[in-house]
mmCIF file of all heavy atoms in Angstrom:
data_model
loop_
_atom_site.group_PDB
_atom_site.id
_atom_site.type_symbol
_atom_site.label_atom_id
_atom_site.label_comp_id
_atom_site.label_asym_id
_atom_site.label_seq_id
_atom_site.Cartn_x
_atom_site.Cartn_y
_atom_site.Cartn_z
ATOM 1 N N LEU A 283 23.531 17.110 -76.538
ATOM 2 C CA LEU A 283 22.228 16.500 -76.280
ATOM 3 C C LEU A 283 21.160 17.159 -77.134
ATOM 4 O O LEU A 283 21.264 18.320 -77.500
ATOM 5 C CB LEU A 283 21.848 16.676 -74.807
ATOM 6 C CG LEU A 283 22.811 16.109 -73.746
ATOM 7 C CD1 LEU A 283 22.262 16.390 -72.356
ATOM 8 C CD2 LEU A 283 23.042 14.631 -73.939
ATOM 9 N N ARG A 284 20.161 16.382 -77.449
ATOM 10 C CA ARG A 284 19.008 16.884 -78.209
ATOM 11 C C ARG A 284 17.727 16.571 -77.463
ATOM 12 O O ARG A 284 17.508 15.440 -77.055
ATOM 13 C CB ARG A 284 18.950 16.210 -79.582
ATOM 14 C CG ARG A 284 20.043 16.658 -80.506
ATOM 15 C CD ARG A 284 20.187 15.719 -81.691
ATOM 16 N NE ARG A 284 21.387 16.093 -82.440
ATOM 17 C CZ ARG A 284 21.396 16.970 -83.442
ATOM 18 N NH1 ARG A 284 20.252 17.522 -83.827
ATOM 19 N NH2 ARG A 284 22.503 17.285 -84.054
ATOM 20 N N TYR A 285 16.911 17.613 -77.267
ATOM 21 C CA TYR A 285 15.639 17.448 -76.571
ATOM 22 C C TYR A 285 14.536 17.646 -77.610
ATOM 23 O O TYR A 285 14.209 18.783 -77.970
ATOM 24 C CB TYR A 285 15.492 18.502 -75.493
ATOM 25 C CG TYR A 285 16.577 18.481 -74.425
ATOM 26 C CD1 TYR A 285 17.735 19.230 -74.583
ATOM 27 C CD2 TYR A 285 16.436 17.705 -73.278
ATOM 28 C CE1 TYR A 285 18.734 19.230 -73.617
ATOM 29 C CE2 TYR A 285 17.438 17.695 -72.309
ATOM 30 C CZ TYR A 285 18.574 18.448 -72.478
ATOM 31 O OH TYR A 285 19.554 18.450 -71.528
ATOM 32 N N PRO A 286 13.922 16.562 -78.094
ATOM 33 C CA PRO A 286 12.899 16.713 -79.136
ATOM 34 C C PRO A 286 11.650 17.425 -78.603
ATOM 35 O O PRO A 286 11.255 17.217 -77.439
ATOM 36 C CB PRO A 286 12.561 15.279 -79.524
ATOM 37 C CG PRO A 286 13.621 14.417 -78.923
ATOM 38 C CD PRO A 286 14.143 15.150 -77.745
ATOM 39 N N VAL A 287 11.087 18.270 -79.427
ATOM 40 C CA VAL A 287 9.842 18.944 -79.112
ATOM 41 C C VAL A 287 8.954 18.861 -80.348
ATOM 42 O O VAL A 287 9.125 19.620 -81.279
ATOM 43 C CB VAL A 287 10.074 20.436 -78.744
ATOM 44 C CG1 VAL A 287 8.772 21.092 -78.315
ATOM 45 C CG2 VAL A 287 11.130 20.584 -77.671
ATOM 46 N N PRO A 288 8.036 17.931 -80.383
ATOM 47 C CA PRO A 288 7.212 17.766 -81.589
ATOM 48 C C PRO A 288 6.340 19.001 -81.845
ATOM 49 O O PRO A 288 6.004 19.727 -80.915
ATOM 50 C CB PRO A 288 6.341 16.549 -81.268
ATOM 51 C CG PRO A 288 6.994 15.877 -80.131
ATOM 52 C CD PRO A 288 7.713 16.929 -79.367
ATOM 53 N N MET A 289 6.017 19.175 -83.087
ATOM 54 C CA MET A 289 5.131 20.262 -83.530
ATOM 55 C C MET A 289 5.640 21.625 -83.042
ATOM 56 O O MET A 289 4.911 22.400 -82.412
ATOM 57 C CB MET A 289 3.696 20.041 -83.035
ATOM 58 C CG MET A 289 2.978 18.879 -83.696
ATOM 59 S SD MET A 289 2.988 19.024 -85.486
ATOM 60 C CE MET A 289 1.821 20.366 -85.719
ATOM 61 N N CYS A 290 6.855 21.875 -83.317
ATOM 62 C CA CYS A 290 7.430 23.141 -82.877
ATOM 63 C C CYS A 290 8.350 23.671 -83.973
ATOM 64 O O CYS A 290 9.527 23.861 -83.784
ATOM 65 C CB CYS A 290 8.190 22.905 -81.577
ATOM 66 S SG CYS A 290 8.766 24.398 -80.798
ATOM 67 N N ASP A 291 7.762 23.902 -85.172
ATOM 68 C CA ASP A 291 8.612 24.326 -86.269
ATOM 69 C C ASP A 291 8.262 25.693 -86.815
ATOM 70 O O ASP A 291 8.582 26.032 -87.940
ATOM 71 C CB ASP A 291 8.634 23.277 -87.406
ATOM 72 C CG ASP A 291 7.260 23.021 -87.979
ATOM 73 O OD1 ASP A 291 6.294 23.703 -87.533
ATOM 74 O OD2 ASP A 291 7.132 22.174 -88.857
ATOM 75 N N ILE A 292 7.568 26.507 -86.023
ATOM 76 C CA ILE A 292 7.414 27.892 -86.431
ATOM 77 C C ILE A 292 8.308 28.729 -85.533
ATOM 78 O O ILE A 292 8.738 28.291 -84.468
ATOM 79 C CB ILE A 292 5.949 28.382 -86.338
ATOM 80 C CG1 ILE A 292 5.457 28.340 -84.897
ATOM 81 C CG2 ILE A 292 5.081 27.591 -87.263
ATOM 82 C CD1 ILE A 292 4.163 29.078 -84.711
ATOM 83 N N TRP A 293 8.636 29.925 -85.980
ATOM 84 C CA TRP A 293 9.590 30.692 -85.188
ATOM 85 C C TRP A 293 8.882 31.600 -84.188
ATOM 86 O O TRP A 293 7.704 31.844 -84.270
ATOM 87 C CB TRP A 293 10.558 31.455 -86.062
ATOM 88 C CG TRP A 293 9.986 32.529 -86.909
ATOM 89 C CD1 TRP A 293 9.313 32.355 -88.081
ATOM 90 C CD2 TRP A 293 10.052 33.921 -86.664
ATOM 91 N NE1 TRP A 293 8.933 33.574 -88.572
ATOM 92 C CE2 TRP A 293 9.385 34.550 -87.730
ATOM 93 C CE3 TRP A 293 10.601 34.707 -85.666
ATOM 94 C CZ2 TRP A 293 9.249 35.948 -87.824
ATOM 95 C CZ3 TRP A 293 10.488 36.088 -85.739
ATOM 96 C CH2 TRP A 293 9.819 36.685 -86.813
ATOM 97 N N PHE A 294 9.689 32.081 -83.261
ATOM 98 C CA PHE A 294 9.243 32.843 -82.099
ATOM 99 C C PHE A 294 8.452 31.967 -81.126
ATOM 100 O O PHE A 294 7.363 32.298 -80.686
ATOM 101 C CB PHE A 294 8.448 34.098 -82.469
ATOM 102 C CG PHE A 294 8.713 35.233 -81.522
ATOM 103 C CD1 PHE A 294 9.730 36.144 -81.750
ATOM 104 C CD2 PHE A 294 7.966 35.376 -80.345
ATOM 105 C CE1 PHE A 294 9.989 37.176 -80.864
ATOM 106 C CE2 PHE A 294 8.233 36.386 -79.460
ATOM 107 C CZ PHE A 294 9.248 37.313 -79.710
#
Side-chain angles (χ1 to χ4, degrees):
Chain A
L283 303 180
R284 289 165 188 270
Y285 301 91
V287 184
M289 291 305 288
C290 187
D291 60 2
I292 63 167
W293 65 282
F294 215 90

